[in-house]
Amino acid sequence: MSSALSTLDAARRLAERSRTGAAWAIFKPMMTPLNSDELRMDPASLYREELFTDRRIGTIRMLTPVTSAGAPDGSRAVLYVGETQLLTPGGLLPLSFEIEATSLADAIEKFGAGANDAVERTRREIEQLRREAASSIIVPDRMGGFDPPGGGGLPGGGQIRLR
């Protein structure tokens, strides 16, 4: 018990010395109180989750609807979500996609097509982000405001020229 107290005391002392450090975040009270109504789970939207994987390509999450008592809810459909990773030059990119299926066997069969769709959708989103980033770059053709009084500004008139 004394070990736990001394660790807690040490963390408090560290927090007092460094109010911006990670240790301070543990003891600092929350700035905005949480609304308990926002933190309530919806008892009509509960699912039991089961994971299936081949330990090679990906994972299928089977979400079975249940009542608040935990019994299967036959009035709602079972949902299937596929997950895999895409190796990119920047590292692994997680992909998650819904699979329209009526059974686990059907979801396994449709996994590849869903993964291909997710890769294509991600590629389009990345291309869109690249276009937006490229269009936000402003290349001035003149460097106005840099001419000192009496002339003699920057050579070349502010235009970029390759030699």
Side-chain angles (χ1 to χ4, degrees), residues 60-148:
I60 294 177
R61 293 182 184 274
M62 184 171 77
L63 302 168
T64 305
V66 295
T67 64
S68 59
D73 183 357
S75 66
R76 296 182 287 150
V78 175
L79 304 175
Y80 298 93
V81 178
E83 296 176 352
T84 190
Q85 296 177 343
L86 180 65
L87 182 60
T88 68
L92 290 175
L93 178 67
L95 297 175
S96 182
F97 49 94
E98 287 190 35
I99 302 172
E100 296 292 326
T102 56
S103 67
L104 179 59
D106 192 23
I108 292 168
E109 198 63 36
K110 295 179 177 179
F111 182 90
N116 283 335
D117 291 345
V119 167
E120 184 60 28
R121 185 174 52 254
T122 302
R123 187 194 63 73
R124 284 192 309 265
E125 289 172 5
I126 290 171
E127 282 300 317
Q128 179 64 28
L129 290 172
R130 282 183 184 159
R131 281 192 294 274
E132 289 172 7
S135 68
S136 68
I137 298 173
I138 300 171
V139 181
D141 61 338
R142 295 184 182 214
M143 297 182 73
F146 291 110
D147 263 349

